[in-house]
Amino acid sequence: PTLRIDVVSIFPEYLTPLRAALLGRAIDRGIISVDVHDLRDWTHDVHRGVDDSPYGGGPGMVMKPEVWGPCLDDVCPDDALLVVPTPAGVPFTQSMAEDLSRERHLVFACGRYEGIDQRVVDDAATRTRVLEVSIGDFVLIGGEVATIAMVEATVRLIDGVLGNAASHQQDSFSDGLLEGPSYTRPEVWRGLAVPAVLRSGDHAKIEKWRHEESLQRTRSRRPDLLPADEPGQPD
Ligand SMILES: O[C@H]1NC=Nc2ccccc21
């Protein structure tokens, strides 16, 4: 395959969405491969324990290095890129998705949100490239949902995955602004009409209107995305 993806999780069934729809088709067509591993297969004790209390006290549990270490030894070769979803990671961006889509082998280590013993990452970093990545400033229970989001954002960029109709060439972030409103038939729905300009056939006017809508929406929802020369920049 163009890209090999391995995912390690204590909830392997959480990753089944990766086999559905367009991603499932990409697997069937051999563009990508996805293998999910149950971290508990690397436990030693009868209780198959994967976590323990944190040194220094505090809430929650920390995942054991004695389980993750041997797991990654088996699952993550030195030439792979190890991606560790964590709320304490660098922000995941479209640019990072583009970088990941050019990799040959990605390994996602799904930990609980209190985290994996830091020595697992530090030890792995002596052999391979490691990225600790966050998908946003909110707290999930574990890295599985973050992994699904990052895999979808990454794999859709690989040639052949999206039908060319759904091409990623015109991604919403292509001009750095938010996409404005979209409409389709019927022309009037529940008394609401499609903006007349979109039915005018005047492509220059339509393009201008769409850019204006994007600017207006970006100003109100994401002023941080506005280019420096646009009014409405946050102080
Ligand atoms: O990507 C993160 N964003 C928010 N919460 C998380 C929880 C566990 C793993 C990863 C994340």
Side-chain angles (χ1 to χ4, degrees):
T2 307
L3 173 62
R4 177 174 173 180
I5 297 169
D6 284 279
V7 185
V8 180
S9 168
I10 55 171
F11 304 120
E13 69 281 3
Y14 224 89
L15 282 303
T16 38
L18 292 181
R19 301 194 185 289
L22 280 180
L23 295 189
R25 268 192 35 202
I27 296 170
D28 298 341
R29 291 158 62 202
I31 299 174
I32 62 170
S33 71
V34 176
D35 291 285
V36 181
H37 311 269
D38 183 342
L39 179 66
R40 292 193 195 280
D41 291 347
W42 283 271
T43 55
H44 337 276
D45 62 318
V46 66
H47 301 294
R48 293 166 58 88
V50 294
D51 53 14
D52 197 347
S53 309
Y55 274 112
M61 301 284 271
V62 176
M63 300 191 96
K64 297 164 66 71
E66 291 167 315
V67 178
W68 269 107
C71 169
L72 293 178
D73 291 348
D74 292 346
V75 172
C76 185
D78 296 0
D79 62 350
L81 174 63
L82 178 62
V83 182
V84 185
T86 165
V90 300
F92 184 69
T93 61
Q94 188 63 22
S95 162
M96 193 182 287
E98 284 159 12
D99 293 342
L100 294 188
S101 72
R102 289 188 284 270
E103 292 286 336
R104 296 281 300 155
H105 188 184
L106 299 173
V107 177
F108 289 86
C110 299
R112 43 184 312 134
Y113 98 94
E114 295 97 340
I116 300 172
D117 186 298
Q118 189 60 40
R119 292 168 292 180
V120 173
V121 165
D122 297 346
D123 168 62
T126 65
R127 288 185 300 282
T128 186
R129 292 167 299 143
V130 183
L131 282 181
E132 294 185 76
V133 185
S134 170
I135 64 162
D137 295 337
F138 46 86
V139 184
L140 301 168
I141 298 170
E144 286 77 9
V145 166
T147 294
I148 292 171
M150 289 191 275
V151 167
E152 179 170 319
T154 298
V155 169
R156 67 182 286 277
L157 297 174
I158 296 172
D159 284 347
V161 170
L162 295 181
N164 48 22
S167 155
H168 55 78
Q169 298 313 325
Q170 287 307 316
D171 272 352
S172 60
F173 279 63
S174 53
D175 65 354
L177 299 177
L178 300 182
E179 279 297 293
S182 301
Y183 303 88
T184 186
R185 284 184 282 263
E187 211 174 294
V188 182
W189 178 72
R190 294 189 178 177
L192 301 169
V194 171
V197 63
L198 296 178
R199 292 181 289 111
S200 69
D202 180 338
H203 297 289
K205 200 172 167 208
I206 289 169
E207 192 178 331
K208 189 175 177 334
W209 182 84
R210 282 177 166 162
H211 184 65
E212 200 44 50
E213 287 292 310
S214 283
L215 268 179
Q216 206 174 324
R217 178 173 282 187
T218 308
R219 268 193 209 104
S220 85
R221 297 179 183 177
R222 291 292 307 277
D224 58 297
L225 290 178
L226 285 172
D229 60 340
E230 279 298 338
Q233 267 286 352
D235 302 332

